[in-house]
Structures are given as structure tokens and as C-alpha cells.
Amino acid sequence: MTTIVEPIASANPQSPAREVPHQKQVATKSMTIALGGGVALEWYDWTVYGMMAAFLSPLFFPSSDPTTSLLAALAVYGAGFFARPVGAAILGPIADRISHKRVMMISVTAMALCSLLISVLPGYNELGVAAAVILLVVRLIQGLATGAEAGVANAIAIELAPPGQEGRYLGLISGTFIQLGVFGSSLVAFLVSASVTPEIMHDWAWRLPFAVGGVLGLLIIYLRSKLPETLIKNVIHRDELSRTQETTGGVWKTLWSVRLSLLAVILVVGAVQIANYAWNAGLPNLANGVFKENSTWVYGITTLMGVIWIVTAPFVGAFADKVRASRAFTLLRLLLVACFFLTLLYSEKSISTFFFVMVFGGAVVGFNMALYNFIATTLMPRAVRTTGIAVGYALGVSLFGGTSPYLLVWLQHANMAWMFPVYGSVVAVLSVIVYHAAKRRGLVYIGD
């Protein structure tokens, strides 16, 4: 099914008129499951490696020092982050020029097949150094695929969203389903670990979560094959920001013309990813590694926070639909500024303080996580929507999110804990300022 949108003419490419739908595809349950399920699978496959790193590290990176093995496995994990902007730059223009659906299928297929490969990949004893090299290549491929997923999934979701409910639908797809993927990876890891002895877990059972992701991926591939193509080619080519680009160079030229929007996307994503990785990785590692809290309680509280994120995401999106996306974004992003300073409360061992910071502060982080993908999507015109979101998202996560846990723990250790909330707050405030600067120039295209 092809969705037809006829844009209103705009004489000034820096101030394009909003898109007016002539006929909009309303998302069905099967489409939502196919799209959201793929998003969840991407995050499941991305997260499960980090959870299994301690088990696979001695098999692929053997060393007399277990820490050296683990650091090598985590370095491979980090390499995937650096591949994400590359994937966005390569696959984003293809999606905008040729097909949203094809790139989406490439992305989810790559993630699923790579997970299956890891589940059966022989270790160092069988393949020698080649085992580690293959593992690195597999993670780089997953990084390339993930770099494209955010842009293409959001571009498709905004086309399938019921009119007037774009925020709620994006909150479901890019909020609830993302957290379901993260939650699912921890749940499967827990169930496998609880079902076998530690020796079996270290020997081969760590492969099972990867196999689960690969098998589920085959189902998602089938479901996604039934989704409609949402790239619109049969439109009246009245302006550069609406028409489908003929060349990759045309995509980058058009994206450069809305570079303020791209900067806004990077900051919108970056600020919330500082908080996301601080609450999901930094604070739990601080609790377990520095303050020596009861790890069962730490993981239980972190899981509770994840459940709150899953449940509240569509309601946050619906709130944005009701009060206008820009107002909801500004309010929640300013609340995030205050939220960053809650990290200062957790300066010594106290599971009750950890609970307060994680659940109440984490709720504010979750509200922002539910909305940021929608806001990023509104900042990109149709002609470069996938590329703009994918590149902005990948840069925001790589520059700000990936370094967040390290900074939080290191600054705490160096008695400079106050610098982390200041850093997060500055980026959050900048995201609001640049977003509104883009909005004043007419660079918000949807839902406001």
C-alpha cells in the first residue's frame, strides 16, 4: 500500500510549510507488532552482548587475567557504537532515496543473523585469533544495522501513526518497545542463568540468549515483510524539502540546508542518552562496584524502573499530542535538568537512597525517553527524514550516551561528582535552546 502526501508549496526552503496528509495509513495491530517488535529485537540483540560479555570473554579472549579478557570483550562492544554513525550515513540515504522498507528489512535481518552466528561461533581454542576477529566483525555489522534502525523505524512509524496521535504512537514504538527489548534481554539472561549451573553457564549456556534473539528475529523478518512501503515517490515536486532525492549527494545537500535541525536532533538525543546510560548503567555499577550494595536489590530496583518506562511511554506521547509537542518537550526536558542533580544524593552506600534516585529520578528520565524520538522525528523534513534521524541519533548516542557511565563513576571517584549533573544539565538546556531556534525558523514539520 502506498501512502500519498501532497506537500504545500514553500518558496523559502528554510521555512517549509507543514506536511498535509491527503490519505494517511492508520496503523493496525499487526503493523504495530511488526514495527515495534523489530525495534525491540534490535535493542534485545544490542543489549544481550553486554550482559553476556563476562561469560564469552574467556572463550574468545583468553588471558591469565580475567579483567583483561573482560576489557577485550567490552572493547568489541564499544566498537559497535562507533559503527552506528557509519551505518546511519550509508543506509540512511538509501532509505530516503529508494525504500524505507528494504533498509528496515536489511537492518533486522542483519541483527538476527548475527545473533544466530554468535550463538554457534567457535571460540579461541577452535579458531585461534580468527574467533575474536569474527566476533568483532559481527558486532560491527550489528552496529551498522542499529545505526540505520532508529531513523528508518521512526520515519515509518510517523507515516503509520493515526492522525493527531503521532506522539502516542511514537511513544509506543520508540519508548515501550525499546524498553521491552532491554527488559527482555535481562529477563532471558536471568532465566537461563537460573536454570543451569554456573559451570554450564560459562561453558555453553551463555549462547542461549543469542539464539533466542536470532530465532525471534526470523519471526520479525516475516512480520516486517508484510508492512507497507512508506517512502513516497508519487508526490508533486514543489520544493527540495518534500521531494524524493534522486542521488545520495542530493540527500546530503538537502540535509545541510536544515543543519540547524540536525544539530537539534543530536542534542535532543544526546541529553537524554546521558541520563539513560547513567540510570541504566552508571548508577547500578556505582552501587555494585563502588558501594557494594546487595546486587539482587540493585537489579530488582533497576528492573522496576524499566517497567515504569514500559508502561508510561504511550501516555507521555499522548500528553504531547494534547498539549503540543514543543510544550511537552520543554517541560520534560527542564525537569530532566533538575533530575540530573538527584545523582548527588547517592554519595554513599544506602539502598534506600539508590531506590529513590532510580525510581523517582528514573521516572523523569523515562518520560524523556518516551518523547525524544518523536521530537527528533518532527525536526526532519520528509526528503531526508531517515538520514537526518539516523545520523543525528547515532552521533548523539556515540558522543554523549556511550561516555555517560564512565564519567559518572570516574567523577564520583575523583570527588568531583557535582560536575556530572552540571554537564548533563548544560546539554539538556542546549537541546531546548537549539530546538526552539529551529522551531522559530520553521524547521518543525510534524505535530506542532
Side-chain angles (χ1 to χ4, degrees), residues 26-37:
V26 178
T28 65
K29 289 183 179 180
S30 61
M31 290 178 182
T32 299
I33 293 172
L35 183 59

Side-chain angles (χ1 to χ4, degrees), residues 53-73 123-125 132:
F55 297 103
L56 63 84
S57 58
L59 299 179
F60 290 88
F61 309 98
S63 172
S64 57
D65 182 5
T67 302
T68 301
S69 296
L70 179 59
L71 287 174
Y124 183 88
N125 289 340

